[in-house]
Structure formats: C-alpha cells, structure tokens
Amino acid sequence: MTAPPDDCLARNEWICGAYLSTRRQILLDAVVQHLQLTFLSVLIGLLVALPLAVLARRRRWAAGPVLAVTTVLYTIPSLAMFSLLLPLYGLSADLVVAGLVLYSLTLLVRNILAGLRAVPEETRQAALGLGYGPLRLLLAVELPLALPAAMAGLRIATVSAVSLVTVGAIVGFGGLGNLIYAGMNTYFKAQVLTASVLCVLIAVAADLLLLGVQRLITPWSRAGRA
C-alpha cells in the first residue's frame, strides 16, 4: 500500500502553506494587477459619472436618458460587454477597464444624483442670495452636502469592481481572476481558494478604507447622528 505524499501540493489540498511560499511572487503580481484595474476603472468611472449626475440635476430633461442609458449598460452580461468592446480595445487591460467603467456608471451616477437632489432648496437659495455662481454653488455647497450619498455609491462600485475584475481573466487581464480561472481548469484547489480569499480581502479592505475616508471628510454627518 502506497503512503500518501507529505506535500500538501502533491495532495492537492484546499489549504496549503507550501502554495503561499512557492507562489509568492505570482500572487503578488496578480494582486497588483487586480488593484490597478480596480483603481483605474473606479477613478475613470467617477470622473465620467460626476458631470453626468450634475447634468441630470441641472437639466431635468437629461435625468431620464442618463439614468436609462447607465441602467441598460449595467444589465449587459460581462461576456457580451467585453465582446462589444473588443474591436475598440483588443485583448488588452484597456478592454477590462472600459467594461468596468461602464458598469460603475449606474451605481455612481444614481448615488451622486441622489445626493445632489437631497441638498435642501433653502440652502441653495441662501447661497445664491450670497452671490454664489453655479460653479461655486456646486463646489462649495452641493457637492459637500452630497458626499455621504456619493461615497456610498463609490463604496458599492469599488466592491463590485473588485469582483468583476476577475471576469477579465477571459482576455488574460483579470488579476487574481487569472489564477482562479487557471486553477479551475486544472482543479488546483489551493490556487482557487487562495485567489478567491484574496479577492474578498481586497474588497473588504477597500470598503473599510473608503468608509474611513467618508467619515474623515464628512465630520458634520457624525455630529448630526450624535
């Protein structure tokens, strides 16, 4: 009778310290790519969503089309989205970033717009009475008061992006998703579990970080609850 191998890699166990020690650089490279793709997609999504939300707030006729288009984009399956963007970006990291940007718009636009709409009208009128122009009103009054709702949308969009980055493995740019995809094809248990756990940890860490930033930049909201 043959004795079982002593190496957890040879036994293909789910939890294996040898995998962490022997694949450290591979895991680090995957985490870095995952973070880069997430950060770029959320940042670009925020830069696109902000003017769209402001337009929808200032021009009531624009609210319906903006919300409708961003909602439709969110309903497109990820594989179909990447296929539609493939002729524009090819098999590149830009393809994954572009897809994630489009997915983030629904969450970001809706929450920023909700925050802008929640600004009391009397506050806006008081600022206008003090001589605030449209741009100063937006930057000094509306956006600061809309921050709690906007940050809530940013947190959801970031966590969602961390998860969706893994789909980029189908084009070779999925961060930890590359390891999950390869591990599933070869039934490499330790790789699938480790990469999956790291995705969860990144999502939780990003959410907690943004929550801390939100509390730091909106001290009045904590005072109001107190």
Side-chain angles (χ1 to χ4, degrees):
M1 184 175 180
T2 304
D6 294 331
D7 188 356
C8 60
L9 285 173
R11 295 194 301 269
N12 194 26
E13 295 180 350
W14 286 103
I15 301 176
C16 182
Y19 174 79
L20 296 176
S21 60
T22 58
R23 270 76 169 182
R24 185 177 305 167
Q25 190 59 48
I26 294 175
L27 289 170
L28 179 59
D29 291 342
V31 168
V32 170
Q33 185 183 76
H34 207 103
L35 292 174
Q36 289 175 338
L37 293 172
T38 301
F39 176 78
L40 284 175
S41 61
V42 173
L43 176 61
I44 297 174
L46 184 61
L47 294 177
V48 175
L50 182 58
L52 289 177
V54 172
L55 174 65
R57 175 68 179 90
R58 295 288 173 83
R59 302 288 186 266
R60 292 186 178 181
W61 60 265
V66 167
L67 293 176
V69 170
T70 54
T71 300
V72 169
L73 290 174
Y74 195 76
T75 63
I76 299 176
S78 55
L79 294 179
M81 178 71 79
F82 288 158
S83 298
L84 293 173
L85 295 174
L86 185 60
L88 293 175
Y89 298 99
L91 295 176
S92 65
D94 293 339
L95 171 66
V96 180
V97 172
L100 295 180
V101 167
L102 295 178
Y103 280 128
S104 69
L105 291 181
T106 298
L107 301 170
L108 293 172
V109 170
R110 285 184 178 275
N111 280 270
I112 296 173
L113 180 57
L116 292 174
R117 285 174 170 173
V119 176
E121 184 61 28
E122 55 270 22
T123 301
R124 297 181 71 257
Q125 293 301 325
L128 291 173
L130 292 173
Y132 281 43
L135 181 59
R136 188 182 178 191
L137 174 65
L138 175 66
L139 298 178
V141 178
E142 293 180 313
L143 284 181
L145 293 178
L147 271 177
M151 287 299 296
L154 181 61
R155 288 170 58 195
I156 299 173
T158 301
V159 172
S160 177
V162 171
S163 175
L164 287 173
V165 163
T166 58
V167 183
I170 62 175
V171 295
F173 295 92
L176 291 165
N178 293 339
L179 300 182
I180 296 174
Y181 185 72
M184 291 176 62
N185 286 337
T186 58
Y187 200 58
F188 194 171
K189 296 178 181 178
Q191 181 162 296
V192 173
L193 179 62
T194 303
S196 300
V197 170
L198 286 174
C199 281
V200 173
L201 292 178
I202 290 174
V204 172
D207 187 55
L208 292 176
L209 176 62
L210 290 174
L211 178 60
V213 171
Q214 177 182 342
R215 292 182 175 180
L216 182 65
I217 63 179
T218 58
W220 61 85
S221 62
R222 299 197 305 273
R225 288 194 297 268

